[in-house]
Amino acid sequence: MLNVLLWLIPGAPLAAAMLIAAFGNRSLREASHWPCLVAIATSAVCALLVLLGGDFAERPATVVGYEWFAAGDLAVPVALYVDSLAVTMLVMVTWVALLVAIFAVGYMHHDPGYPRFFAEVSLFVFSMTMLVLSSNLLLLYVFWEAVGLCSYLLIGFWFQKPAAAAAAKKAFLVNRIGDFGFAIGIFLLWTLVGRALDWKPPEG
């Protein structure tokens, strides 16, 4: 049951983003918010059930999906890691995102980019939950970049306005500086300290 709940948390928003991107402008249109709301509500309920159903302070859990790639001694799986901090963040992220999405239904009403907005919000929630659940530093970096991309898309949503386009560009460029430092830190941790890229604590 834990495996299903954990994969549903990021999986439901990803499915909603794909559904809205494929059918939002053609058929969903003013109803494009429904897949987003249902998906985020599913994630929020699953996160709450995970929080209430396990003692992750004493027994963190890792759920492996598949092996992304392996090179020499380095193996990077796509896996979800949950401990007490991660599950607390999941509950906060998903429930706040649900409230934001509900508010946006009225705020964005009649906007020409209505389907695009809710596709981007769904993708943002997927990226954010995967960022929290990532079981290793490389996967964490991938979804850190994905969150940055979604932020760029949402900040520049009204890209026809020069101010919005300039703000999105500024956010993108500033984030790249931090991303470069983050990447250097991962490489240093792996090569100099000799630690693996996953969250498994060292033996002993």
Side-chain angles (χ1 to χ4, degrees):
M1 180 60 71
L2 176 64
N3 293 18
V4 175
L5 291 175
L6 284 179
W7 284 112
L8 270 176
I9 294 171
L14 176 61
M18 297 171 64
L19 180 65
I20 300 169
F23 301 105
N25 288 323
R26 289 188 291 176
S27 55
L28 290 172
R29 297 178 184 174
E30 291 82 5
S32 294
H33 60 275
W34 281 114
C36 178
L37 292 179
V38 171
I40 299 176
T42 300
S43 297
V45 171
C46 289
L48 190 59
L49 290 174
V50 172
L51 175 66
L52 298 176
D55 181 14
F56 297 106
E58 296 295 331
R59 294 187 300 275
T62 301
V63 178
V64 179
Y66 62 94
E67 188 174 89
W68 182 11
F69 69 86
D73 295 332
L74 177 64
V76 181
V78 175
L80 308 180
Y81 175 86
V82 59
D83 56 13
S84 56
L85 177 60
V87 73
T88 302
M89 290 298 297
L90 281 175
V91 171
M92 184 180 71
V93 166
T94 53
W95 283 96
V96 170
L98 180 59
L99 295 177
V100 170
I102 292 171
F103 173 79
V105 173
Y107 187 81
M108 298 298 294
H109 194 55
H110 296 311
D111 191 283
Y114 196 73
R116 177 166 56 91
F117 176 81
F118 282 99
E120 291 173 3
V121 169
S122 300
L123 188 63
F124 180 86
V125 176
F126 161 69
S127 302
M128 195 69 182
T129 52
M130 281 300 297
L131 177 68
V132 173
L133 285 169
S134 293
S135 66
N136 58 74
L137 287 172
L138 195 55
L139 201 62
L140 180 73
Y141 186 81
V142 169
F143 286 101
W144 177 271
E145 291 294 326
V147 169
L149 172 63
C150 294
S151 298
Y152 169 78
L153 293 173
L154 288 168
I155 292 170
F157 179 76
W158 288 301
F159 56 86
Q160 302 91 341
K161 298 180 179 179
K169 186 184 299 183
K170 180 180 179 180
F172 180 82
L173 293 175
V174 171
N175 283 338
R176 296 292 72 75
I177 299 173
D179 296 345
F180 181 69
F182 190 10
I184 291 176
I186 292 174
F187 285 123
L188 287 175
L189 184 64
W190 180 45
T191 58
L192 300 181
V193 182
R195 288 286 304 277
L197 292 177
D198 59 33
W199 300 130
K200 183 180 179 181
E203 298 297 333

